[in-house]
Amino acid sequence: MPDAVAAAAIALPTPRFRPPAPEPLERDPGVMMLFNPRMTRNPLTAIPREAFERPYRKARFLHLTYHGVYEPDAIKRVLLDRADAYVRPGLVQRILRPLLGDSLLSANGEDWRRQRRLMAPAFAPPAVAGAAPQIDAAAGRSCARMADGGGTVDVAVEATRATLEIIDATLFSGASGMPFEDTASDVRDLLAGGGELRLSQVFGLQALDWGVAQRRGRRAQTRLRSRMAAMIRARAEADDPPDDFVTRMLRAFLAEHPREAAERLTLDNAMTFFVAGHETTANGLAWALYLLSRDPQAQAWAREEAVEAWRGGDPAAVADRLMYLRMVWDETLRLYPPVLRIDRQATEDDELCGEPVKAGDMVTIWPWVLHRHRRLWDEPDAFNPENFDPEARAGRHRYQYLPFGAGPRICIGMGLANTEALILLSRWLTAFRFEPAGGAEPWPRADIALRADGGIPLRVSRL
């Protein structure tokens, strides 16, 4: 917290704010969750209480054995120490491939390694620093829209618009062909349609899905891919295309594949980075403003720090000065992790938490559960940015906090997402005060992302 208010700990809310969340179940629903529409639409409602209290759980689910792991050393073994023995499962491939094709997110093995090497420079620290002025420009436009919002703003909608503009500018040179008005609802439908857990997914029979959400999601996917494909064809045919992420990716794929395959791989990855690159950050930003609106002292401290940080005026340097706001952001991602679950499949026999794991078994880690686990966090359901002060960080196991995953497959866009979040939040806080708008509290809903069901309206006042 800023030095001027560091001694004001007595002003902290007592008790701390506990945002609403689904109550854990007293009994594990097992396979019956697949027949409960409420649970399939929002898997957060199907998690049993014991998952938040035990470091390890084993369950048989249809034809698969699952190991639920919430012990940090065991998680490190799966995601880092023996990462080659725990691969992205075929079930996850079946869920992701219809949505995102053969992209980095769904690839495995050497194909994944080649794609990761190709894309890493676009997300290296120099590239992120170079994107800071574009992020700041988008933040300025966002502030102008909020000022015209009439006092109450759905910050989930505004955050989506701002992050969409940023991903378009930083990775697509503003030429993705995905304007907010035509795109935001399609992205929501795409993720909602693909995020419901259904028997058809488990058995690889998605072609039999004819539910309303699935039909809407397929139509949205067709529209999104059509617009993005048109942009990629134009890049392939241009004599002097912009030297950006998409063009470099297309050139690299053309060097290894025939044109049709290269354009398809470029399209798959462009869709992945466009959808995941703005939607997950937008959700986190909206939740952060919601939490700050319920904790006026934390908001005041973050605002004071942001005002001081921007006195230098250099967007590329601002994020490093926002120590308390970074604590707020990290705590937001603890309560609302963008990576909802991490699944791996064992390729050989092993042991986790003293229990045998057989080749073919599934290992699942839910950051939603890990970040709220009773053995790992004090007041795990409360909003407490001090969970991430330097002393608390030093005493915490690296693998009990996984907002972007961990190990070789850690989210490649983590640095960009964090910088984007800190610049946007600091700009918003220096311009506005955020307060509850009244009405129902926002409710977390999980599909492929973790969004607020019905949005997050807040009262926004100019300073």
Side-chain angles (χ1 to χ4, degrees):
M1 62 192 75
D3 292 340
V5 292
I10 56 172
L12 288 169
T14 305
R16 291 186 179 276
F17 175 61
R18 294 168 59 95
E23 280 293 321
L25 301 178
E26 293 303 324
R27 298 179 60 183
D28 191 335
V31 72
M32 295 308 296
M33 73 167 288
L34 293 174
F35 301 95
N36 184 317
R38 180 176 65 91
M39 293 181 182
T40 57
R41 290 174 188 148
N42 189 1
L44 299 182
T45 64
I47 302 174
R49 187 175 305 280
E50 66 176 356
F52 296 91
E53 299 170 348
R54 295 170 51 185
Y56 169 87
R57 297 173 64 246
K58 182 177 180 179
R60 184 78 181 170
F61 194 77
L62 298 176
H63 58 298
L64 297 171
T65 297
Y66 277 85
H67 304 265
V69 179
Y70 300 104
E71 200 287 312
D73 283 329
I75 294 172
K76 179 175 178 285
R77 182 174 180 83
V78 171
L79 299 183
L80 180 65
D81 298 338
R82 302 210 63 207
D84 288 343
Y86 290 96
V87 301
R88 185 67 64 90
L91 172 60
V92 174
Q93 305 288 86
R94 290 198 294 270
I95 294 172
L96 291 180
R97 185 163 283 118
L99 298 175
L100 303 173
D102 295 312
S103 67
L104 179 69
L105 195 61
S106 57
N108 256 331
E110 186 56 35
D111 183 32
W112 170 81
R113 281 185 281 272
R114 281 198 304 271
Q115 292 196 40
R116 179 92 180 194
R117 285 194 298 268
L118 165 65
M119 295 166 199
F123 301 96
V128 172
Q134 295 169 305
I135 298 171
D136 186 37
R141 293 190 294 272
S142 177
C143 286
R145 288 191 296 268
M146 281 195 180
D148 293 336
T152 298
V153 174
D154 186 338
V155 296
V157 173
E158 179 51 43
T160 299
R161 181 166 193 155
T163 55
L164 191 152
E165 288 183 5
I166 289 167
I167 207 72
D168 186 32
T170 56
L171 298 187
F172 299 89
S173 297
S176 68
M178 299 282 198
F180 173 79
E181 293 78 5
D182 299 333
T183 301
S185 61
D186 279 344
V187 170
R188 286 195 301 271
D189 288 345
L190 172 66
L191 296 176
E196 290 185 12
L197 182 60
R198 303 178 304 281
L199 280 169
S200 56
Q201 290 178 330
V202 175
F203 291 105
L205 301 173
Q206 287 94 323
L208 301 181
D209 282 339
W210 291 103
V212 173
Q214 287 72 54
R215 292 198 304 272
R216 188 182 294 131
R218 281 194 287 266
R219 290 194 295 267
Q221 181 187 39
T222 298
R223 288 190 293 269
L224 291 169
R225 286 183 69 90
S226 176
R227 287 195 288 267
M228 190 69 77
M231 184 272 291
I232 291 169
R233 284 194 300 272
R235 291 290 178 90
E237 296 167 0
D239 294 330
D240 187 24
D243 186 24
D244 59 11
F245 173 71
V246 175
T247 297
R248 291 192 293 272
M249 184 166 56
L250 176 61
R251 287 171 178 160
F253 283 134
L254 283 169
E256 297 182 359
H257 302 279
R259 176 166 171 168
E260 182 178 347
E263 290 187 9
R264 178 181 54 78
L265 285 167
T266 303
L267 172 60
D268 290 344
N269 278 287
M271 283 287 296
T272 296
F273 282 94
F274 180 83
V275 172
H278 87 271
E279 180 69 13
T280 53
T281 308
N283 290 327
L285 286 165
W287 288 119
L289 290 178
Y290 163 65
L291 293 169
L292 288 172
S293 77
R294 291 339 191 246
D295 189 334
Q297 181 63 80
Q299 185 177 164
W301 284 340
R303 176 175 298 110
E304 177 183 324
E305 180 185 68
V307 169
E308 182 62 30
W310 278 103
R311 292 192 194 282
D314 179 8
V318 162
D320 291 336
R321 304 189 189 115
L322 298 169
M323 304 304 293
Y324 183 73
L325 188 56
R326 178 60 189 261
M327 290 162 56
V328 169
W329 175 242
D330 287 345
E331 175 70 350
T332 299
L333 299 187
R334 181 184 73 82
L335 290 170
Y336 301 101
V339 178
L340 187 66
R341 60 181 291 171
I342 301 169
D343 289 294
R344 296 291 185 264
Q345 189 162 22
T347 59
E348 55 190 73
D349 292 352
D350 196 18
E351 183 179 294
L352 295 173
C353 301
E355 298 290 335
V357 176
K358 299 295 185 183
D361 284 1
M362 304 284 284
V363 176
T364 184
I365 304 155
W366 284 65
W368 172 271
V369 175
L370 181 70
H371 293 180
R372 295 168 181 255
H373 204 279
R374 304 315 186 235
R375 295 191 178 200
L376 299 174
W377 304 89
D378 295 328
E379 295 187 279
D381 296 318
F383 173 59
N384 179 13
E386 280 69 41
N387 278 323
F388 293 91
D389 67 24
E391 184 178 355
R393 283 183 193 275
R396 184 172 54 248
H397 197 295
R398 163 66 183 88
Y399 283 78
Q400 76 179 70
Y401 178 66
L402 306 173
F404 296 97
R409 295 194 77 126
I410 193 169
C411 174
I412 196 172
M414 177 177 63
L416 178 61
N418 286 333
T419 298
E420 179 182 357
L422 291 173
I423 290 176
L424 282 167
L425 285 170
S426 62
R427 280 299 197 194
W428 288 334
L429 288 168
T430 58
F432 305 104
R433 178 176 293 104
F434 296 90
E435 298 173 295
E441 293 286 299
W443 189 252
R445 175 179 174 180
D447 39 49
I448 289 178
L450 180 58
R451 70 184 74 252
D453 203 4
I456 302 181
L458 297 179
R459 189 161 69 247
V460 178
S461 307
R462 296 195 208 194
L463 295 173

